[in-house]
């Protein structure tokens, strides 16, 4: 019987024989991750376990990205605790300040996660690394503490939903639109406990950054992981970023899937997820003319260089509408520098944008772009739950960088082609 | 492991707020949490549950927040095993990690009625309905998970492993 990608990756990290969905297997992990919000809890459990050292000081990543630069005394205290823990354990992958970026953009860029890895993180968007062909998923604090201590964890082998993406990509369509469309199809719990596996001609031709944008939002469909094959695109990315020891990996042709979804992109418009759930997805034409007060371009979903280029392409020679705060947050210091070197900052500044540091910031309603009552933001982030970006009476619409940029110029949600 | 007890049935999508509402999250004491177990489902519901009884739920039991207080509350009420059509993902992990045995049986859950006397044999992978005489075959709890349960949950399990120099 053929195997899915999820089964194949897990098999590489366990001595048990993976026979199929539902089985529980104990696996070695390649990397364990926690951030400035979740690490303090995990450290507490770690100590309760009586652990005195981490399993491998080079394979525990502690990324202080959510409230960075620390927004208040409480967040600074949390980070101080994690910093002291990292020093005590000799953790080499501790990131704060100028070498810190949004975790799920930072770790692939540094080659700390890559094809065929098993990664667990105390953050639900750990699934991002599935874009590179890693089995990566979020967990609770006690699980992460145990993985930090032992370098292994248990998984229930998930059934897989296969998503085939076909057709010809029209102008202005991007990876974000494809994942929003997928979530619109499955619903927010349609992939509960399951793996999403992406394939088809459009996926084969897609770059690694786009794949990570899609994998990032697997959790928004309830999914455990969102997986892409390890092909030349993934291998080239891994090589360029110094992640060694990868081999090609694909699902078997006769792999058993629970369900198949087919998406044809040829006539698809950019998609927008309306308040207050990521599966409330509509083509942009059906949302147009919704007035916005803020446009956020950044996050672990769409804060990479290709996203900033897409936004700059729309903004070049244009200005954000009066009354719209356009906020651009490159996701890592390296992306920040690259955007600066490519002259994108001139485009953004000319458009009236505020360029912020690499941070999660407004994505989770942390800081640097919080909404007041009655305000509405379009954002390239991944969640539009009630109150996610500020007041319980504010609204968030999720879109691609191109649509977020065009909407900033128009002052209302708009298809970039209609500017 | 074998568990014998009376079944208490409940519906689908029982979320973590039903199992232990947020207002009771001011403690991490298992017994204290147990007193308020299922308060979000029906106030006072837990009063009919005796130590050793068994929860039987429909699909997606434990959906919602990642709070580890939910399995703790069930354990605090003296319930050691939950049989369900299916469990929500994070609850499933948290359950075993806190030392609560979870058994998934799919549609066969319909064969269990409230008040039935059950014997759940997690080693053999069979649930005997002592009231009706019916047997339901299920996946046995894998040895690696049983080790965590035997230790009393993930924290003591890891503590033991680290202590043994593993
Ligand atoms: S950018 Fe947003 S979704 Fe991504 S890790 Fe930060 S807070 Fe979470």
């Amino acid at each position: 019987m053929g195997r899915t990608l999820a089964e194949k990756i897990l098999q590489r990290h366990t001595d048990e024989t993976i026979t199929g969905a539902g089985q529980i297997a104990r696996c070695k992990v390649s990397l364990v991750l926690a951030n400035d919000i979740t690490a303090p809890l995990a450290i507490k459990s770690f100590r309760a376990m009586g652990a005195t050292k981490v399993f491998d000081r080079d394979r525990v990543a502690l990324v202080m990205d959510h409230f960075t630069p620390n927004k208040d005394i409480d967040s600074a205290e949390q980070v101080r605790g994690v910093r002291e823990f990292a020093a005590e354990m000799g953790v080499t992958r501790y990131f704060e300040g100028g070498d810190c970026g949004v975790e799920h953009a930072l770790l692939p860029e540094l080659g700390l996660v890559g094809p065929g890895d098993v990664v667990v993180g105390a953050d639900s968007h750990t699934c991002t690394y599935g874009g590179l062909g890693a089995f990566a998923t979020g967990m609770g604090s006690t699980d992460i503490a145990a993985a930090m201590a032992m370098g292994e964890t248990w998984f229930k082998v998930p059934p897989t939903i296969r998503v085939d993406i076909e057709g010809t990509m029209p102008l202005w369509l991007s990876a974000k639109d494809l994942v929003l469309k997928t979530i619109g199809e499955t619903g927010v719990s349609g992939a509960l406990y399951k793996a999403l596996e992406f394939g088809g001609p459009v996926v084969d031709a897609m770059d690694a950054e786009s794949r990570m944008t899609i994998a990032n939002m697997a959790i928004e469909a309830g999914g455990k992981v969102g997986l892409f094959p390890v092909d030349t695109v993934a291998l080239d990315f891994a090589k360029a970023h110094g992640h060694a020891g990868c081999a090609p990996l694909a699902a078997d042709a006769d792999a058993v899937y629970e369900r198949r979804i087919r998406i044809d992109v040829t006539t698809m418009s950019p998609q927008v997820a309306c308040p207050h759930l990521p599966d409330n997805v509509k083509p942009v034409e059906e949302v147009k003319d919704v007035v916005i007060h803020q446009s956020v371009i950044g996050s672990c979903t769409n804060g990479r260089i290709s996203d900033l280029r897409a936004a700059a392409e729309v903004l070049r020679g244009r200005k954000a509408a009066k009354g719209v705060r356009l906020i651009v947050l490159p996701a890592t210091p390296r992306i920040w520098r690259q955007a600066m070197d490519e002259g994108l900052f001139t485009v953004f500044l000319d458009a009236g944008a505020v360029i912020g540091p690499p941070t999660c910031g407004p994505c989770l309603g942390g800081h640097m772009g919080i909404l007041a009552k009655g305000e509405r933001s379009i954002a390239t982030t991944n969640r539009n739950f009630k109150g996610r970006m500020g007041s319980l009476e504010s609204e968030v619409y999720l879109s691609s960088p191109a649509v977020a940029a065009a909407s900033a110029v128009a002052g209302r949600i708009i298809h970039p082609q209609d500017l | 492991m074998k568990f014998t007890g009376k079944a208490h049935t409940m519906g689908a999508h029982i979320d973590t707020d039903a199992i232990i509402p947020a207002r009771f999250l001011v403690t991490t004491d298992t017994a204290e949490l147990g007193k308020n177990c299922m308060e979000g489902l029906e106030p006072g519901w837990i009063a009919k549950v005796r130590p050793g009884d068994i929860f039987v739920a429909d699909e997606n039991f434990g959906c919602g927040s990642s709070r580890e207080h939910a399995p703790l509350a069930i354990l605090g009420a003296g319930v050691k095993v939950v049989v369900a059509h299916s469990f929500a993902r994070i609850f499933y992990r948290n359950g075993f990690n806190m030392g609560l045995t979870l058994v998934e049986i799919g549609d066969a859950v319909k064969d269990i009625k409230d008040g039935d006397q059950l014997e759940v044999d997690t080693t053999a992978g069979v649930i005997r309905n002592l009231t009706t005489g019916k047997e339901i075959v299920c996946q046995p709890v894998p040895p690696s998970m049983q080790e965590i349960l035997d230790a009393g949950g993930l924290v003591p399990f890891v503590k033991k492993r680290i202590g043994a120099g593993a």
Side-chain angles (χ1 to χ4, degrees), chain A residues 138-184:
Chain A
M139 289 180 178
S141 47
T142 305
D143 268 320
I144 289 304
M148 282 198 314
M150 297 197 299
E152 60 174 50
T153 191
W154 61 270
F155 293 107
K156 189 168 164 191
V157 180
T160 295
I161 298 176
R162 168 83 180 191
V163 184
D164 285 293
I165 307 181
E166 296 161 359
T168 317
M169 285 287 276
L171 190 67
W172 301 120
L173 207 69
S174 72
K176 180 65 162 287
D177 303 303
L178 305 187
V179 72
L180 289 177
K181 180 79 182 169
T182 305
I183 296 161

Side-chain angles (χ1 to χ4, degrees), chain A residues 35 65-66 102-104 123-125 216 298-301 359-361 363-364 381-383 388:
Chain A
N35 59 47
D65 57 351
H66 279 61
V102 177
E103 50 195 345
H104 309 308
D123 188 276
S124 59
H125 292 102
N216 174 270
S299 86
C300 59
T301 319
T359 182
C360 292
C363 173
L364 78 160
T381 55
N382 49 37
R383 282 186 176 148
R388 171 85 176 171

Side-chain angles (χ1 to χ4, degrees), chain A residues 16 24 26 45 48-52 137-143 146 149-150 152-156 192-193 219 223-224, chain B residues 60 63 66 68 87-90 92-94 96-98 104 139 142 144-145 148 154-162:
Chain A
E16 301 166 47
I24 289 171
R26 198 154 258 289
S45 288
M49 287 167 177
T52 51
T137 193
M139 289 180 178
S141 47
T142 305
D143 268 320
M150 297 197 299
E152 60 174 50
T153 191
W154 61 270
F155 293 107
K156 189 168 164 191
L192 198 67
Y193 218 98
I219 180 71
K224 179 176 193 164
Chain B
N60 203 20
C63 58
S66 67
E68 288 173 344
F87 295 94
R89 181 191 148 227
I90 297 180
Y92 192 77
R93 295 198 70 92
N94 289 349
F96 281 100
N97 289 346
M98 297 300 113
E104 250 182 18
Q139 287 270 353
S144 56
M145 303 303 300
I148 296 178
L154 191 59
V155 169
F157 172 77
V158 177
K159 208 169 177 172
K160 216 170 88 189
R161 290 258 309 236
I162 293 171

Side-chain angles (χ1 to χ4, degrees), chain A residues 242-267:
Chain A
H243 189 84
C246 308
L249 201 58
D252 291 328
D254 59 343
V256 179
Y257 296 111
E258 188 186 90
R259 180 184 167 197
R260 275 179 179 268
I261 295 173
R262 212 168 288 274
I263 291 176
D264 192 322
V265 300
T266 311
T267 57

